[in-house]
């Protein structure tokens, strides 16, 4: 932006002054009028090329800025979904590792109902996991590191690779796919 302001200022002051000076010399029938016209044309051509290069650079910077916004949005979406998935996974892991002790038929029925609810939640958990895997694939398609913007709000433990490795190392991926 500052560069563009400087260009506009030079165009107003420098290029207009050069143009006025050229016109003054040409209208005064200067002996080197041909050389002056030629040099002026070269300066204007270089000026126009500078303006064109500047506009192209600005466009490329805006495209990169937009790409980083997309990446940041993907990371934020991943962090939100991974947090919910981690919570479900930790609860499921805790429920599965608790010892089962029953003292009555009612407790057995209650456990069976809880287990049926858990089994019903597997399809949703699998869909969530697949959604995380898709987000991971999208993030990797940008070829960026684990945190492209310093200070971004997503937590390092929620990186796509870590959630996928953690889930896979515990056998949940294959287990979820079987269900």
């Amino acid at each position: 932006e500052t560069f563009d302001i400087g260009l506009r200022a030079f165009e107003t002051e420098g290029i207009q002054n050069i143009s006025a000076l050229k016109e003054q010399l040409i209208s005064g029938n200067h002996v080197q009028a041909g050389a002056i016209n030629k040099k002026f044309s070269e300066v204007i051509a270089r000026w126009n090329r500078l303006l064109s290069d500047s506009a192209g650079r600005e466009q490329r910077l805006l495209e990169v800025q937009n790409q980083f916004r997309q990446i940041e949005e993907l990371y934020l979406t991943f962090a939100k979904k991974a947090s919910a998935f981690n919570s479900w996974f930790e609860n499921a892991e805790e429920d599965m590792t608790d010892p089962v002790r029953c003292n009555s038929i009612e407790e057995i029925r209650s456990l069976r109902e809880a287990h049926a609810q858990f089994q019903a939640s597997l399809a949703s958990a699998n869909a969530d996991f697949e959604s995380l895997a898709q987000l991971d694939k999208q993030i990797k398609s940008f070829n960026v590191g684990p945190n492209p913007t310093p200070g971004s709000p997503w937590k390092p433990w929620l990186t796509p690779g870590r959630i996928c490795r953690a889930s896979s190392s515990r056998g949940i991926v294959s287990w979820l796919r079987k269900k």
Side-chain angles (χ1 to χ4, degrees), residues 18-166:
I18 291 171
S19 296
L21 184 58
K22 179 204 87 127
E23 289 303 321
Q24 208 176 33
L25 291 171
I26 298 299
S27 64
N29 294 324
H30 193 279
V31 238
Q32 294 185 342
I36 291 171
N37 274 330
K38 181 181 178 194
K39 195 60 161 174
F40 178 77
S41 294
E42 290 172 4
V43 167
I44 294 301
R46 289 178 70 191
W47 174 250
N48 288 333
R49 189 174 67 230
L50 177 63
L51 290 176
S52 174
D53 290 349
S54 173
R57 182 174 185 270
E58 180 182 14
Q59 185 60 37
R60 287 188 303 278
L61 287 173
L62 289 172
E63 289 169 4
V64 168
Q65 184 180 28
N66 185 42
Q67 183 180 23
F68 276 104
R69 278 192 190 113
Q70 290 173 344
I71 293 167
E72 187 66 17
E73 186 64 32
L74 287 171
Y75 271 113
L76 288 173
T77 301
F78 185 91
K80 289 174 188 175
K81 289 184 176 199
S83 177
F85 182 81
N86 276 339
S87 178
W88 174 87
F89 183 78
E90 287 171 4
N91 288 337
E93 186 177 44
E94 186 178 312
D95 290 346
M96 292 295 181
T97 57
D98 283 347
V100 177
R101 293 187 182 96
C102 296
N103 295 319
S104 70
I105 294 294
E106 288 79 30
E107 287 179 1
I108 293 171
R109 284 187 184 124
S110 175
L111 284 173
R112 287 182 70 187
E113 286 176 25
H115 186 69
Q117 289 174 354
F118 172 74
Q119 285 180 320
S121 74
L122 290 178
S124 174
N126 190 39
D128 292 345
F129 182 79
E130 292 301 325
S131 175
L132 285 169
Q134 182 60 34
L135 284 169
D136 180 47
K137 184 177 178 180
Q138 284 180 290
I139 290 168
K140 286 178 180 174
S141 73
F142 285 102
N143 294 320
V144 294
N147 188 356
T149 25
S152 78
W154 65 275
K155 305 286 184 221
W157 56 272
L158 292 177
T159 61
R162 285 189 180 179
I163 186 73
C164 294
R165 281 192 304 275

